């Protein structure tokens, strides 16, 4: 196990480093202290050849200019908060409207564009990088000074773990996610990739992708990945659904089942490389994102974003997303690779 640290550029006079974590099995992960970004994941396929498993950019400026949150830690609140506002304890909070008429992924002051402090840890069994930052009271319109710690670790079992913890001095909504664009296949599109999501329902949404508060059963719809299924098989099935047709692909929040600790919430497998990834999380929702599957600029990647439900600050029927002083928010995301 080893960590290599190298300079990747500067942002407003602050040095951005690339931290490359490598285990003894040929798996490596490169992280940036800009945005807490996963820049690269390399894993050997069934022939022993290294495969790039996430989309990446070559330069820091590419990440600075990127509007798509590629590889970044997203906060203070992942996904949408309706109409850029929410009420809490009798006070109305006004947020950035950066996702159409809604607040998206924490707004203009999102964590994906922050320079995080970093420290490294090495043991015989794992290597880790811990990123920290403080978001001041009122940033982006949110209440509370929030202290965040995000620890990435890689072990000899080919497991990349991300644990994000946070505390606040005022009650506030929190939801963090990791926004990697996974590419386990060599195929330029994701249609042949097999996907399983351990969820019977997705949250319904309107034409702006804001939840209505209702839930939709996945059975007999393009959202049904309760068994490993090729993505295009579901996307192209004859019985579609209006919620799917609004996107022409996937950008939907799955309501995860309560599962045993060692059962993954999602699995992905590419048949051409033989590489599989299992995702484990303690969060209640999972945003599955491909963008429009029939457009010319198809991503060729998929995102699986563990999260609290979109617009939960305005939907008391959704799982609680509010954190009070004295409480510790914890989000756990583990990605186990195999071939």
């Amino acid at each position: 196990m080893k960590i290599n640290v190298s300079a990747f550029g500067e942002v407003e006079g602050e040095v951005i480093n690339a931290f490359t974590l490598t285990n003894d099995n040929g798996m490596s992960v490169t992280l940036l202290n800009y945005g807490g970004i996963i820049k690269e994941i390399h894993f050997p396929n069934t022939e022993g050849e290294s495969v790039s498993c996430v989309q990446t950019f070559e330069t820091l400026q590419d990440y600075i200019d990127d509007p798509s949150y590629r590889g970044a830690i997203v906060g203070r609140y992942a996904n949408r908060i309706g109409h850029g506002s929410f009420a809490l304890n009798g006070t109305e909070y006004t947020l950035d409207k950066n996702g159409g008429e809604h607040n998206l992924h924490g707004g203009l002051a999102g964590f994906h564009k922050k320079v995080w402090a970093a420290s490294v840890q090495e043991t015989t069994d794992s290597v880790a990088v811990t990123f920290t930052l403080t978001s001041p009271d009122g940033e982006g319109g949110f209440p509370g000074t929030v202290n965040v710690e995000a620890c990435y670790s890689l072990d000899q079992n080919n497991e990349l773990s991300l644990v994000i913890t946070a505390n606040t001095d005022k009650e506030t909504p929190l939801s963090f996610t990791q926004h990697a664009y996974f590419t386990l296949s060599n195929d330029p599109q994701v249609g042949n990739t097999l996907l399983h999501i351990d969820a019977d329902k997705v949250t319904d949404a309107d034409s702006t992708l804001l939840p209505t508060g209702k839930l939709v059963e996945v059975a007999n719809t393009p959202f049904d990945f309760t068994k490993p299924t090729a993505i295009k098989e579901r996307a192209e099935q004859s019985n579609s659904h209006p919620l799917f047709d609004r996107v022409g692909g996937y950008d939907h929040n799955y309501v995860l089942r309560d599962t045993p600790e060692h059962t993954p919430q999602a699995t992905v497998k590419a048949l051409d490389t033989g590489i599989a990834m299992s995702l484990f999380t303690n969060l209640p929702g999972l945003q599955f994102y491909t963008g429009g599957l029939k457009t010319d600029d198809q991503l060729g990647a998929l995102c699986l974003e563990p999260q609290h439900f979109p617009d939960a600050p305005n939907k008391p029927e959704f799982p609680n997303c509010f954190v009070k002083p004295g409480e510790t928010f914890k989000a756990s995301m583990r990605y186990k690779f195999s071939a």
Side-chain angles (χ1 to χ4, degrees):
M1 305 292 297
K2 63 180 180 178
I3 299 179
N4 180 67
V5 183
S6 59
F8 190 63
E10 287 191 6
V11 175
E12 298 178 353
E14 295 193 76
V15 175
I16 304 303
N17 285 320
F19 302 81
T20 299
L21 287 59
T22 306
N23 69 12
D24 297 339
N25 307 317
M27 181 176 178
S28 66
V29 177
T30 298
L31 309 166
L32 303 179
N33 61 311
Y34 180 77
I37 285 168
I38 296 176
K39 181 182 182 293
E40 297 175 11
I41 297 176
H42 286 94
F43 191 77
N45 64 13
T46 50
E47 304 299 318
E49 301 163 337
S50 182
V51 174
S52 176
C53 293
V54 293
Q55 288 186 341
T56 184
F57 291 128
E58 289 192 8
T59 71
L60 178 58
Q61 193 61 47
D62 289 333
Y63 284 105
I64 293 170
D65 296 338
D66 174 42
S68 67
Y69 307 87
R70 199 147 315 215
I73 293 174
V74 173
R76 282 188 184 194
Y77 200 91
N79 218 303
R80 291 164 179 81
I81 297 178
H83 311 290
S85 68
F86 67 92
L88 176 62
N89 299 326
T91 300
E92 185 83 14
Y93 293 93
T94 301
L95 314 174
D96 301 327
K97 291 184 178 180
N98 63 314
E101 60 188 284
H102 309 306
N103 178 268
L104 179 65
H105 285 339
L108 301 176
F111 292 173
H112 63 296
K113 299 297 185 185
K114 299 282 190 185
V115 179
W116 298 60
S119 61
V120 301
Q121 301 83 40
E122 296 183 55
T123 71
T124 55
D125 299 320
S126 68
V127 284
V129 180
T130 299
F131 296 127
T132 58
L133 65 76
T134 297
S135 177
D137 183 26
E139 186 172 51
F142 289 94
T145 297
V146 175
N147 299 300
V148 187
E149 180 178 287
C151 180
Y152 286 99
S153 62
L154 175 66
D155 67 16
Q156 298 285 35
N157 296 317
N158 303 323
E159 187 169 283
L160 173 65
S161 174
L162 170 60
V163 177
I164 306 175
T165 55
N167 58 64
T168 178
D169 60 0
K170 294 181 182 177
E171 187 172 2
T172 194
L174 293 178
S175 177
F176 308 120
T177 195
Q178 217 303 326
H179 212 304
Y181 286 63
F182 291 103
T183 56
L184 306 190
S185 170
N186 291 324
D187 196 311
Q189 297 192 348
V190 296
N192 291 318
T193 298
L194 301 181
L195 175 67
H196 163 248
I197 300 177
D198 195 17
D200 297 315
K201 299 179 179 70
V202 294
T203 48
D204 189 28
D206 64 18
S207 60
T208 67
L209 298 182
L210 188 72
T212 64
K214 299 178 181 178
L215 303 180
V216 174
E217 297 280 348
V218 303
N220 301 312
T221 76
F223 304 113
D224 189 355
F225 292 97
T226 51
K227 296 180 180 179
T229 307
I231 292 171
K232 71 176 182 181
E233 181 178 332
R234 281 288 172 259
E236 297 173 0
Q237 68 181 43
S238 58
N239 50 326
S240 190
H241 191 282
L243 184 59
F244 176 82
D245 295 339
R246 287 179 195 134
V247 177
Y250 295 96
D251 192 6
H252 303 88
N253 175 60
Y254 280 72
V255 180
L256 295 175
R257 297 169 175 157
D258 289 328
T259 56
E261 181 181 357
H262 300 293
T263 300
Q265 278 71 32
T267 56
V268 185
K269 184 173 183 179
L271 297 178
D272 59 338
T273 63
I275 295 175
M277 181 187 78
S278 298
L279 169 63
F280 304 80
T281 185
N282 67 333
L283 294 171
L286 183 71
Q287 191 82 4
F288 171 39
Y289 176 70
T290 63
L293 287 168
K294 296 182 180 180
T295 57
D296 292 335
D297 57 350
Q298 208 279 307
L299 290 172
L302 62 89
C303 300
L304 293 170
E305 307 159 50
Q307 61 182 8
H308 272 285
F309 291 5
D311 204 32
N314 293 309
K315 299 282 192 300
E317 65 271 31
F318 284 173
N320 174 56
C321 65
F322 289 100
V323 179
K324 297 178 180 179
E327 298 177 343
T328 298
F329 175 94
K330 181 178 180 180
S332 173
M333 308 164 205
R334 293 187 292 121
Y335 310 87
K336 185 173 178 60
F337 286 79
S338 60

